[in-house]
Amino acid sequence: MSNGSFLSDGAVVGSTFKIDGVFENAVDPARVKSFMDKVKLIRSAATKAA
């Protein structure tokens, strides 16, 4: 997701959002926020380009 050079309707994230990336752990709000900040940036750029 680093350059936004592709389009997708979804993403498989698995344990990416879990504390230390471990499935059994709770969701890490900081990981979710970081991911969503990147999603918002890409969406914003795509909207401006359209």
Side-chain angles (χ1 to χ4, degrees), residues 1 3 6 8-9 15 17 19-21 23-26 29-33 36-37 42-46 48:
M1 235 174 98
N3 66 10
F6 64 90
S8 175
D9 290 331
S15 58
F17 295 147
I19 295 171
D20 296 327
F23 177 77
E24 292 82 9
N25 289 346
R31 287 178 179 237
V32 175
K33 183 179 181 330
M36 290 310 299
D37 287 347
I42 291 169
R43 286 180 177 167
S44 176
K48 291 176 184 175

